[in-house]
Amino acid sequence: QFPFGRRLPCDIYWHGVSFHDKNIFSGQVNKFPGMMETVRKITLSRAMRTMQDLFPLEYNFYPRSWILPEELPLFMAEVRMMKDNNPSWKPTFIVKPDGGCQGDGIYLIKDPNDIRLTGSIQIRPAVVQEYICKPLLVDKLKFDIRLYVLLKSLEPLEIYIAKDGLSRFCTEPYQEPTLKNLHQVFMHLTNYSLNIHSGNFIHSDSVNTGSKRTFSSILCRLSSRGADVKKLWSDIISLVIKTIIALTPELKVYYQSDIPAGKPGPTCFQILGFDILLMKNLKPVLLEVNANPSMRIEHEQELSPGVFENVPSPVDEKVKVAVIRDTLRLMDPQKKKRKDTHLEDVRTNQSAKGRLRCITSLRKETNHSLEWGCWATPQTCTVEQAVEASEEPPATAPSPEAALPSLCLKQVFPKYAKHFSYLRLVDRVAALFIRFLGVKGTTKLGPTGFRTFIRNCKLSNSNFSMAAVDILYIDITRRWNSMGIDHKESGMCLQAFVEAFFCLAQKKYKSLPLHEQVASLIELCECRLAALHGKRLVCGCG
């Protein structure tokens, strides 16, 4: 531990909260720059809404959301319209403060007008979502799932999911929301940090019982009832991959700002906590993503009034120790060195045996004395094949991996990449955005950069002049900046650029669905930029 700063270079840096050390020039860091900002409730909701606009069916696992205070009039108007269309619809909504955690500041409402009574929305922005009124219950209790996801790499994208997670239970039997029970947090909110204070909370020595259990124990129970557990896991994996795909464009902008290409810097990885709710029909719903999931493996127990001690939690230990251990195994910088050393040993061993056979054979034919090492071994197989085929492997120390259990982290991307690659449109838009940022270390696009993008991609014409380009830039940038988005820099943020790009796509390809409009414009831009690059190379060679 280095509470006052680090002095020596390290292989792996494990930061407590966020990526903050500007003096790391090598190694690996357990946080991505900008992850805290990217998974905040408002930023996450915006990213998911963009993907829902492009692919509504693929992203229907995230509840309909509105951002407060800027979308309060829109929220009230849409609810009014939906009630007019369906008078029997009696919704409940959940309001979550943007920067809140551990259930802080969350409350339920029936009437949109009740939001105004809080008086803190202007100071503390929030997200309001449709409340899931029909969750899956176990022992008549509502629960959610905390799954641990390792984002091993951003470029190329590499995602792992832990094979087990935590199921965190409410502590009062669930009833559908009414005006009388809206305020019963132990019934409606699954947050461990809230329910721990309930008199009904049960600490258990078993991972199958109590107010916190393993997810695998819930799956066993569901399986015994005939539920299709394999499909449920498939749906959860799909949810995780799609969510990461929605987050990566923003993360890449932060990453190039903190660790510009061409400069020495660390690589990053991060363990994320996905909070998922299962509906009655076993459909998984994403509640939120936590950039700093708790890794505590004990809980406080009150021995006497005001006197506490830490007591081990078997369920936390079973899940979390495996996640940390296997994250370090996957990121282990010495692993490649050990593998390379082992391959080199095998290569040397095979070469030596080949030379020995060659020398013995020649000695039978002649009585001449030969110097060791003057004959080359014919290469009949690759080194990798030699590792498998060698009958007499060199004596080496047992690998540290041999003593460990099998990995609890399962790779899901790029393993299933072919099923999801078509969703990565905004990723390609972000690549265009980053290309025209100009100044390294910035996260916002200036007017000159935007004009250069339009000019290089040949998007202006008689119907869309450069004056119209400037107006589009000013209108969208001004509106996004008025929303309270990062004011440290002036210019167009990624979300604003994405909106402008969608506008351009809709102007150019009017008859197509939105995702085809966007895909067509991306391909056009990439093609024209590639042609421009080729032309410059030819000019340079000339």
Side-chain angles (χ1 to χ4, degrees), residues 256-326:
Q256 65 80 36
S257 173
D258 278 55
I259 311 172
K263 288 191 176 181
T267 55
C268 301
F269 66 96
Q270 190 154 351
I271 297 170
L272 303 171
F274 273 65
D275 293 344
I276 297 169
L277 185 74
L278 295 183
M279 294 175 66
K280 207 169 185 177
N281 61 1
L282 293 187
K283 177 185 174 180
V285 175
L286 177 67
L287 299 180
E288 62 181 279
V289 180
N290 196 316
N292 294 301
S294 169
M295 286 297 170
R296 285 193 66 178
I297 56 171
E298 70 277 322
H299 61 84
E300 286 186 342
Q301 181 173 300
E302 192 168 16
L303 300 177
S304 58
V307 180
F308 296 87
E309 75 167 350
N310 287 327
V311 178
S313 167
V315 64
D316 285 302
E317 188 168 333
K318 183 177 189 299
V319 173
K320 294 175 183 177
V321 167
V323 170
I324 296 283
R325 177 197 67 218
D326 292 347

Side-chain angles (χ1 to χ4, degrees), residues 38-48 62 247 288-289:
T38 302
V39 300
R40 286 173 75 101
K41 295 176 181 66
I42 286 179
T43 316
L44 174 65
S45 294
R46 284 196 174 111
M48 299 304 280
Y62 191 69
L247 297 176
E288 62 181 279
V289 180

